[in-house]
Amino acid sequence: MKQINLIIADDHLMFLEGLNTILSEMEEINTIHIATEGKQVLRLLEQFPIDLVISDINMPKMDGLELLTELKKKSNPPKVIILSMLDNHRTIYKVIQKKADGFVPKFTSKAELQKAVKTVIDGEQYFSEAIKHKYMESVFERKKYKDIELSKREKEVLELLSQELTSKEISAKLFISVNTVETHRKNILLKTGSKTTTGAVKYGIESGLFDN
């Protein structure tokens, strides 16, 4: 049986200790390295051969999504399982689009976590039923908005509105008049069927408009 080396990354030490205990029971695991933030994971990868990274999303300096992006850029990337309390459909959509090999919520059972690790080690993907359900919700949300087309400038204005900038601040940032900003805002509301700017921003979030 081939044994693997892995890194577990989370900024909560008690949770890391629990994960370490659970994973140490598995015959498939050779060594376990511990990290408390994303950049530390990258440093460990430079020092040790790593087959699998299990990471939370919320971490300081470099979060799990940024880390996932960096890991998948490597010529021989390790497998990556996201283990997080964040299970909203937008986050899950982004994790899957960034090619994670697995995603299970932190409230999962010991048995499912070990199953996820074994599945990913064997070259397959593993997403818990709760995660798959949320992902389908995210796909549905995007399909709802597929016929809405905003211009490039309207998208820029909407993104700045999502940052709570005023029309005057947006006009200065985009080098356009306040009246032009207001015209774009009205067009955005009309196209998205929103009554308020908050509703339009909700559209931007759910449609993935602000996703990088």
Side-chain angles (χ1 to χ4, degrees):
M1 176 192 302
K2 179 189 174 183
Q3 291 188 310
I4 68 161
N5 305 313
L6 64 83
I7 298 171
I8 49 178
D10 193 289
D11 60 341
H12 292 92
L13 290 177
M14 188 176 295
F15 186 76
L16 276 177
E17 290 174 3
L19 274 183
N20 194 14
T21 299
I22 292 171
L23 296 172
S24 295
E25 297 175 1
M26 299 179 64
E27 295 179 355
E28 295 87 351
I29 306 300
N30 179 32
T31 59
I32 299 175
H33 302 273
I34 290 176
T36 55
E37 48 95 1
K39 290 185 177 180
Q40 189 178 358
V41 172
L42 296 179
R43 290 194 293 270
L44 286 169
L45 280 168
E46 294 175 354
Q47 301 172 51
F48 306 100
I50 300 297
D51 305 289
L52 172 66
V53 174
I54 300 176
S55 176
D56 188 16
I57 290 180
N58 272 345
M59 294 187 295
K61 297 183 182 178
M62 175 184 284
D63 66 26
L65 286 173
E66 293 175 294
L67 174 62
L68 176 58
T69 300
E70 291 303 312
L71 292 175
K72 291 304 179 179
K73 287 179 182 178
K74 294 186 174 296
S75 56
N76 186 28
K79 302 289 186 181
V80 182
I81 295 176
I82 297 297
L83 183 66
S84 179
M85 287 302 293
L86 288 174
D87 63 349
N88 64 78
H89 57 70
R90 183 182 177 223
T91 299
I92 290 167
Y93 186 89
K94 291 174 75 172
V95 167
I96 293 176
Q97 293 303 304
K98 289 177 180 291
K99 303 188 186 306
D101 300 283
F103 194 151
V104 291
K106 276 188 173 180
F107 55 77
T108 194
S109 66
K110 168 183 170 181
E112 183 175 35
L113 175 59
Q114 292 181 339
K115 180 181 179 182
V117 170
K118 289 178 182 178
T119 301
V120 170
I121 289 172
D122 289 339
E124 299 179 27
Q125 293 182 322
Y126 188 92
F127 298 94
S128 72
E129 289 301 318
I131 296 299
K132 286 189 282 189
H133 178 72
K134 289 285 187 180
Y135 177 70
M136 292 310 298
E137 285 183 354
S138 74
V139 172
F140 176 75
E141 290 293 340
R142 281 161 170 75
K143 284 183 178 179
K144 272 200 319 185
Y145 300 117
K146 69 177 182 178
D147 294 327
I148 298 176
E149 293 186 9
L150 300 182
S151 69
K152 180 181 177 182
R153 181 63 85 190
E154 287 167 348
K155 290 178 182 177
E156 291 173 342
V157 169
L158 182 54
E159 185 160 9
L160 293 173
L161 286 170
S162 75
Q163 298 171 21
E164 300 185 348
L165 270 65
T166 65
S167 293
K168 185 176 181 180
E169 290 170 331
I170 293 173
S171 72
K173 197 171 186 70
L174 297 181
F175 303 103
I176 56 178
S177 71
V178 172
N179 285 339
T180 300
V181 173
E182 283 300 306
T183 298
H184 285 311
R185 189 180 69 83
K186 289 175 183 177
N187 287 338
I188 291 167
L189 295 181
L190 183 63
K191 287 183 178 181
T192 61
S194 304
K195 294 180 180 179
T196 64
T197 299
T198 300
V201 170
K202 182 173 182 286
Y203 150 77
I205 293 171
E206 293 182 344
S207 66
L209 184 66
F210 306 141
D211 293 352
N212 295 322

